[in-house]
Amino acid sequence: MKSDFLTYQAQTTPYPLGINVFYALGSYIYSCDNKKYLDFVAGVSAVSLGHQNKRVNDAIKNQLDKYSHVMVYGEYAQNPAVEYCKLLAQNLPPQLNKVYLVNSGTEACEGALKLARRVTGRSQLISCHNAYHGNTMGSMSVMGFEERKQVFRPLIPDVDFITFNNEADLEKITTKTAGIILESIQGGAGFIQPQDDFLSKVKKRCDQVGALLIIDEIQPGFGRTGKLFGFENYNVIPDVIIIGKGMAGGMPVGAFVAKEEYMDLLTDNPKLGHITTFGGHPVIAAACLATLQVIIETDLIAQTLEKEKLFRQLLVHPLIQEIRGIGLMLAVMTSGSELTNKVIFKCQDRGLILFWLLFEPCAIRITPPLTISESEIREGCTIILEVLDKIYNEK
């Protein structure tokens, strides 16, 4: 299978990890050669409730027995999508009360950027250096990492960049700015949290000049940071949020959310301001609904902060410089990319899945399912420490 995988399936890098997956359950992935891997990555923050969560699976199966795709998005009222949007809005600030369901986080970003231009009648968009919001042409345009996008230029025009947590840069947000897009926690850059009320200061500046604040919750969202959404940790209510990854327990989905007055602008002048065939797909929406219900009806969100404490207590080693992030969105920082690579590959050999961050070569990603147990955390951290000990003693 690995040979066919490399031959027939387009790749994202020259050296994919290439585990031959047989099945997955809970916090573990099993390969075709009967090897068991503890999953500390959760499909890059997507598998919120672990693999094969029964409530999510049952919701998917039940919906499949009723109907699947019946019409392009926005034409028919379909119960799973309606109930999901209603429950999501009820758990957001009142200003964020209308949801547009799409197929991925990058499409959610595209929709949010279009909405900012439609609401304001302006063209300028502002993002951050080392930001990542997706990989289609619009979202790539607000990616703050030139190395990854230079060969695809020209991208969309009138985009500028500021430095995350640099208050002086907020002067770049002017009456020409349609919107500024920020991650509530910078993901690809190394799980960088806002400091000194940075997000609320950005919102204040946006209000002064009439620009929209778009917060990207694709990685931090759905309970990973000790709140349902990351922005709730930082004393700010954005004009638009974009969501994805963890919202459907591992199924492909995204959405952007704003107040009704803004979202209704996409329905006219012109009509079909945003359109998607499979957005709001009933099977996916059923998975979204079940996932959100589990997250808000249990104490999983509160548990993330307790599990963070355990990770920080256990992962103490001379080769670990610091641990960044919050909740179950953690980055173990090493002295360089060579050490990071060694740890990730050697841990995989030992049956522990770790991963990289996009732009920070010193970081080791730890974003397990929210459902990971204390014993599984101890199991994985023991492997990490044993691998680090071996590397340290070989120096």
Side-chain angles (χ1 to χ4, degrees), residues 163-171 195-198 201:
T163 298
F164 199 74
N165 282 327
N166 186 341
E167 189 175 343
D169 276 1
L170 301 187
E171 294 301 314
Q195 304 293 327
D196 299 322
D197 287 325
F198 180 69
K201 290 172 182 175

Side-chain angles (χ1 to χ4, degrees), residues 35-50:
K35 188 167 182 179
K36 177 181 179 182
Y37 296 88
L38 177 57
D39 186 0
F40 267 20
V41 178
V44 187
S45 304
V47 189
S48 305
L49 303 179

Side-chain angles (χ1 to χ4, degrees), residues 38-201:
L38 177 57
D39 186 0
F40 267 20
V41 178
V44 187
S45 304
V47 189
S48 305
L49 303 179
H51 301 283
Q52 304 299 328
N53 178 270
K54 185 178 186 306
R55 189 159 169 184
V56 175
N57 277 8
D58 286 348
I60 291 168
K61 293 171 185 175
N62 289 338
Q63 184 56 42
L64 279 170
D65 287 337
K66 295 175 182 176
Y67 58 90
S68 184
H69 177 69
V70 290
M71 178 52 74
V72 296
Y73 179 80
E75 294 296 331
Y76 291 175
Q78 300 174 59
N79 186 70
V82 172
E83 289 301 311
Y84 177 70
C85 292
K86 180 180 178 180
L87 183 62
L88 181 61
Q90 289 172 340
N91 284 274
L92 283 167
Q95 301 95 314
L96 297 167
N97 59 10
K98 204 155 196 176
V99 183
Y100 198 120
L101 295 169
V102 293
N103 302 285
S104 65
T106 194
E107 188 188 348
C109 177
E110 299 284 339
L113 297 178
K114 290 164 65 178
L115 182 64
R117 286 183 164 180
R118 179 66 180 85
V119 169
T120 63
R122 305 169 183 175
S123 63
Q124 187 192 49
L125 299 166
I126 294 178
S127 182
C128 279
H129 299 295
N130 293 327
Y132 181 77
H133 302 286
N135 221 40
T136 47
M137 295 300 279
S139 54
M140 188 185 294
S141 300
V142 293
M143 181 197 298
F145 198 76
E146 185 61 26
E147 178 185 325
R148 296 282 177 88
K149 63 184 186 179
Q150 59 185 352
V151 299
F152 302 106
R153 288 189 176 280
L155 300 171
I156 66 171
D158 208 3
V159 176
D160 201 359
F161 292 87
I162 66 172
T163 298
F164 199 74
N165 282 327
N166 186 341
E167 189 175 343
D169 276 1
L170 301 187
E171 294 301 314
K172 289 187 175 182
I173 306 171
T174 70
T175 53
K176 295 181 180 179
T177 306
I180 176 167
I181 182 168
L182 302 170
E183 299 156 274
S184 59
I185 299 171
Q186 278 205 303
F191 291 2
I192 307 298
Q193 295 188 68
Q195 304 293 327
D196 299 322
D197 287 325
F198 180 69
L199 294 185
S200 60
K201 290 172 182 175

Side-chain angles (χ1 to χ4, degrees), residues 115-348:
L115 182 64
R117 286 183 164 180
R118 179 66 180 85
V119 169
T120 63
R122 305 169 183 175
S123 63
Q124 187 192 49
L125 299 166
I126 294 178
S127 182
C128 279
H129 299 295
N130 293 327
Y132 181 77
H133 302 286
N135 221 40
T136 47
M137 295 300 279
S139 54
M140 188 185 294
S141 300
V142 293
M143 181 197 298
F145 198 76
E146 185 61 26
E147 178 185 325
R148 296 282 177 88
K149 63 184 186 179
Q150 59 185 352
V151 299
F152 302 106
R153 288 189 176 280
L155 300 171
I156 66 171
D158 208 3
V159 176
D160 201 359
F161 292 87
I162 66 172
T163 298
F164 199 74
N165 282 327
N166 186 341
E167 189 175 343
D169 276 1
L170 301 187
E171 294 301 314
K172 289 187 175 182
I173 306 171
T174 70
T175 53
K176 295 181 180 179
T177 306
I180 176 167
I181 182 168
L182 302 170
E183 299 156 274
S184 59
I185 299 171
Q186 278 205 303
F191 291 2
I192 307 298
Q193 295 188 68
Q195 304 293 327
D196 299 322
D197 287 325
F198 180 69
L199 294 185
S200 60
K201 290 172 182 175
V202 175
K203 182 64 168 77
K204 181 178 179 181
R205 179 62 179 169
C206 286
D207 291 343
Q208 289 172 347
V209 300
L212 299 193
L213 172 59
I214 303 166
I215 294 288
D216 181 338
E217 289 287 345
I218 293 170
Q219 285 199 68
F222 296 95
R224 190 158 287 280
T225 68
K227 300 284 187 181
L228 185 58
F229 293 102
F231 71 84
E232 296 175 279
N233 292 295
Y234 306 113
N235 190 34
V236 65
I237 299 175
D239 298 295
V240 188
I241 63 169
I242 59 177
I243 54 179
K245 285 195 182 292
M247 68 188 279
M251 300 295 280
V253 70
F256 56 106
V257 188
K259 66 181 179 179
E260 182 178 15
E261 175 188 345
Y262 291 167
M263 296 297 267
D264 285 352
L265 293 173
L266 296 176
T267 67
D268 203 8
N269 294 320
K271 293 180 174 65
L272 308 178
H274 191 73
I275 187 169
T276 172
T277 297
F278 290 114
H281 191 285
V283 177
I284 304 297
C288 289
L289 181 59
T291 300
L292 182 57
Q293 287 170 336
V294 171
I295 290 171
I296 64 177
E297 291 171 8
T298 65
D299 64 347
L300 282 173
I301 293 178
Q303 284 183 33
T304 61
L305 299 180
E306 294 304 313
K307 292 170 182 177
E308 176 196 350
K309 289 178 185 176
L310 183 58
F311 272 112
R312 291 185 181 276
Q313 289 168 6
L314 295 173
L315 291 178
V316 177
H317 194 277
L319 295 181
I320 295 176
Q321 297 190 336
E322 65 173 313
I323 299 177
R324 296 180 186 167
I326 183 174
L328 292 178
M329 185 177 176
L330 300 175
V332 175
M333 306 303 294
T334 74
S335 59
S337 60
E338 183 178 353
L339 177 54
T340 291
N341 293 342
K342 278 185 180 180
V343 173
I344 291 171
F345 288 127
K346 288 180 181 293
C347 282
Q348 180 170 308

